């Protein structure tokens, strides 16, 4: 904290840095019961009123000092205990006080007067006594780091006194900021003379009702967090719709962009955007993350229907007719029909369409012959496959599209009479032919399908007597695809393939995963706009990208190359994290679990935002370092959340309070949960980040 390096300043001048924590504090009362986990604080109504109120979950400081001389008298114990208010506690004479209060209220009611007017001062003081049940969070104590005084933190207390030794205080705004932002500088950073990059994530907020906080000028106490806490680690942003999850994510993404620019690091950020709110400038924020890259290539947006005149937008879809991308396309189709178990569907899924490996075949002439026969089968299977895509309404083609396949002379001549100029003869002696478009492939396969049907029925027209269909019928890949192409036994597979047509873009070039990896290595912000397309495509695309990124990072790791820092941000994570697989899948089967368990060593971080804690695999939750939790309306969700840190303390408040942006936060460096009102993402953040990157400000 800037002024509260006032703490360090006071200490350097010879004072105790702990007494600076009591500067401006308001004395609330004392501790009359203390154990290792909790404390009971006694106070009265007058003091509470003068102190500006005591909200639930508020922070209190307990110190063994002289009342009214907190900052200029030595502490009896060189420590300050941090307490958190959990609720009220009964006094030892509670039953007597209740009887007295009841009598006072009855008398006041009969006389039509206020209670204090009908009782004496001594009795009035007694009935105004009350107590708070407080949780012991830990201890601030002094140390010396690099010859400088330093306030350390211990997450417990190392002694318990039975006597009334401690007085309790409400911290000032400055000290409250220090407590809520602790540690603003770690001992290691002091020793290494490093300055952490801190951002104001928001302001301290203990309750939904803020009247007394405003009066006490405690409504705008800044909470600082270190940006590095959110890099290469897992972060959960939890809460119902419209409580500020996206606002939080945009703030973090902008801060990381700024941090990368200031430190001259390449930190790539990959954002899965299901609603298109990151890819566009929206009315709610009057700004957007895409503005970070205006006038530069620092932000790329991949979407289904990019604007060709927008230099930031690129095709998200894949050109299914790009023969170089056949392995990826085949994988996508396989995932799409993975749950279909009909015999013809299984034959289609297992059809061999990828190039055979020569090493899989025996050496010698017999092995050569078997290998080239396999090549011929694969070529014919591919011919049928691209014809199938054309039949499934996949439009366009690809630059240099060409399919080679063998067709004997008699069959070729019969086809040419019906469809001249569709087939090009490449090497007549070997019967090698080619087609140069998917439409041509469909024409050839449709014609062959008719000839095969005639052969099977035994009714072959005279003009097709020289057609040899046996070699095609004996080609397993071709016939497996042809069964789907003809749809004679059902059209389920064909219809499923048609659902992926939105994922096809004849203008797209190259593998999306390769392009995204290159962007991330260059430190760009990559936004994947998933607002258009089916849920299956969205899930498949996301999982494939994550798998490929992890594999690329793993390759660098095994090659002893430096990690590439990457942040992956997943909005509406419950739509992508399939909890039904939990307990059934291995880590290798689930990209998100694999990311949570493996990616830290690769320098990859994950930010996932969801309203359903229960939809997230426990293995992901258990590896989460940062938690920002807003309103959840279900005790089922808060029960799951309560398994982590001490969020159980806040469960009731999380269900009850729906204020937008009001969250409970635990960061990797933070020592305890902080109730915070998250700052609103605004255009000033964008321009500050652009300035750090050497880019001019954008005026809206």
């Amino acid at each position: 904290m800037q002024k509260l390096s006032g703490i360090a300043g006071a200490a350097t001048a010879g004072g105790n840095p702990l007494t600076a924590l009591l500067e401006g504090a308001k004395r609330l009362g004392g501790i009359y019961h203390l154990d290792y986990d909790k404390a009971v604080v006694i106070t009265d109504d007058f003091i509470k009123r003068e102190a500006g109120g005591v909200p639930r979950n508020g922070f209190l400081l307990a110190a063994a000092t002289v009342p009214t001389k907190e900052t200029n008298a030595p502490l009896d114990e060189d420590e300050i205990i941090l307490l958190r208010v959990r609720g009220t506690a009964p006094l030892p004479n509670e039953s007597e006080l209740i009887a007295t209060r009841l009598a006072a209220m009855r008398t006041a009611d009969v006389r039509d007067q206020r209670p204090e007017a009908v009782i004496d001062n001594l009795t009035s003081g007694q009935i105004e006594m009350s107590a708070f049940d407080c949780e012991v969070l830990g201890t601030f104590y002094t140390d010396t780091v690099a010859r400088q005084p330093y306030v350390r933190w211990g997450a417990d207390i190392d002694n318990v006194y039975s006597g009334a030794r401690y007085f309790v205080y409400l911290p000032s705004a400055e000290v409250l900021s220090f407590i809520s932002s602790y540690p603003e500088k770690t001992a290691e950073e002091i020793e290494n003379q490093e300055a952490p990059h801190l951002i104001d994530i928001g302001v301290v907020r203990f309750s939904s009702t803020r009247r007394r906080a405003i009066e006490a000028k405690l409504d705008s106490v800044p909470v600082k967090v270190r940006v590095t806490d959110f890099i290469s680690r897992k972060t959960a942003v939890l809460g119902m719709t419209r409580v500020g999850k996206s606002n939080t994510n945009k703030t973090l993404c902008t801060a990381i962009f700024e941090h990368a620019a200031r430190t001259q690091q390449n930190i790539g950020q990959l954002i899965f955007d299901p609603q298109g709110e990151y890819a566009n400038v929206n009315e709610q924020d009057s700004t957007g993350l895409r503005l970070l890259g205006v006038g530069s290539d620092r932000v790329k947006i991949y979407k289904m229907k990019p604007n060709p005149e927008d230099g930031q937008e690129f095709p998200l879809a894949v050109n299914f007719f790009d023969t170089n991308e056949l392995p990826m396309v085949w994988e996508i189709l396989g995932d799409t029909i993975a749950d279909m178990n009909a015999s013809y569907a299984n034959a289609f899924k297992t059809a061999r369409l990828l190039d055979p490996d020569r090493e899989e075949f025996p050496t010698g002439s017999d092995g050569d012959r078997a290998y080239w026969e396999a090549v011929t089968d694969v070529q014919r299977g591919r011919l049928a496959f691209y014809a199938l895509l054309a039949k499934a309404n996949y439009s366009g083609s690809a630059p240099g599209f060409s399919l080679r396949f063998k067709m004997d002379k008699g069959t070729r001549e019969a086809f040419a009479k019906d469809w001249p100029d569709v087939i090009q003869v490449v090497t007549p002696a070997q019967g090698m032919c080619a087609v140069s478009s998917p439409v041509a492939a469909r024409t050839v396969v449709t014609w062959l399908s008719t000839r095969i049907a005639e052969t099977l029925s035994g009714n072959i027209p005279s003009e097709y007597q020289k057609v040899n269909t046996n070699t095609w019928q004996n080609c397993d890949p071709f016939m497996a695809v042809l069964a789907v192409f003809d749809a004679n036994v059902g059209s389920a597979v064909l219809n499923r393939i048609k659902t992926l047509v939105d994922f096809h873009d004849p203008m797209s070039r190259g593998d999306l995963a390769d392009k995204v990896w290159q962007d991330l290595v260059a430190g760009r912000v990559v936004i994947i706009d998933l607002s258009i397309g089916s849920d299956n495509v969205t899930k498949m695309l996301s999982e494939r990208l994550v798998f490929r990124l992890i594999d690329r990072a793993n390759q660098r790791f095994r090659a002893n190359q430096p990690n590439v820092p990457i942040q992956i941000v997943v909005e509406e994570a419950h739509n992508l994290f399939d909890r039904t697989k939990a307990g059934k899948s291995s880590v290798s089967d689930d990209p998100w679990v694999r990311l949570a368990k493996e990616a830290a060593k690769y320098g990859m971080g994950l930010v996932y935002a969801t309203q359903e804690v229960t939809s997230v695999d426990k293995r992901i939750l258990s590896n989460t370092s940062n938690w920002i939790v807003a309103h959840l309306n279900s005790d089922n969700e808060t029960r799951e959340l309560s398994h982590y840190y001490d969020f159980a303390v806040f469960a009731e408040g999380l269900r009850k309070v729906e204020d937008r942006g009001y969250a409970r936060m635990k960061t990797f460096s933070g020592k305890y949960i902080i109730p915070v009102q998250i700052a609103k993402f605004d255009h000033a953040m964008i321009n500050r980040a652009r300035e750090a990157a050497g880019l001019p400000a954008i005026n809206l």
Side-chain angles (χ1 to χ4, degrees), residues 12-55:
T12 333
N16 187 335
L18 288 180
T19 59
L21 289 176
L22 301 177
E23 186 74 43
K26 295 181 180 179
R27 184 157 48 89
L28 182 65
I31 293 179
Y32 84 82
H33 174 76
L34 176 68
D35 64 30
Y36 291 103
D37 298 313
K38 65 180 180 179
V40 178
V41 175
I42 191 168
T43 183
D44 65 41
D45 292 347
F46 175 79
I47 294 176
K48 285 186 288 186
R49 188 164 51 247
E50 291 296 308
V54 182

Side-chain angles (χ1 to χ4, degrees), residues 249-278:
N249 286 344
K250 292 173 188 175
T251 299
L252 294 176
C253 290
T254 305
I256 291 172
F257 179 95
E258 180 182 347
H259 174 78
R262 292 191 186 281
T263 57
Q264 297 184 338
Q265 298 181 72
N266 285 343
I267 303 176
Q269 298 189 72
L270 174 61
I271 303 170
F272 291 102
D273 181 13
Q275 307 296 335
E277 59 181 311
Y278 292 82

Side-chain angles (χ1 to χ4, degrees), residues 181-241:
S181 306
Y182 186 89
E184 289 189 13
K185 208 166 189 179
T186 66
E188 291 75 16
E189 288 164 346
I190 293 175
E191 290 173 345
N192 298 328
Q193 298 183 339
E194 298 174 352
H197 181 188
L198 305 176
I199 62 167
D200 288 355
I201 193 71
V203 297
V204 178
R205 182 177 184 180
F206 291 120
S207 63
S208 176
T209 303
R210 310 190 73 183
R211 180 175 71 85
R212 288 183 173 83
I214 294 172
E215 291 177 353
K217 295 182 172 52
L218 295 175
D219 61 312
S220 56
V221 175
V223 178
K224 297 180 176 65
V225 295
R226 44 186 16 86
V227 178
T228 50
D229 278 358
F230 298 91
I231 298 174
S232 301
R233 294 188 176 93
K234 263 60 73 181
T235 299
V237 182
L238 308 174
M240 296 294 295
T241 303

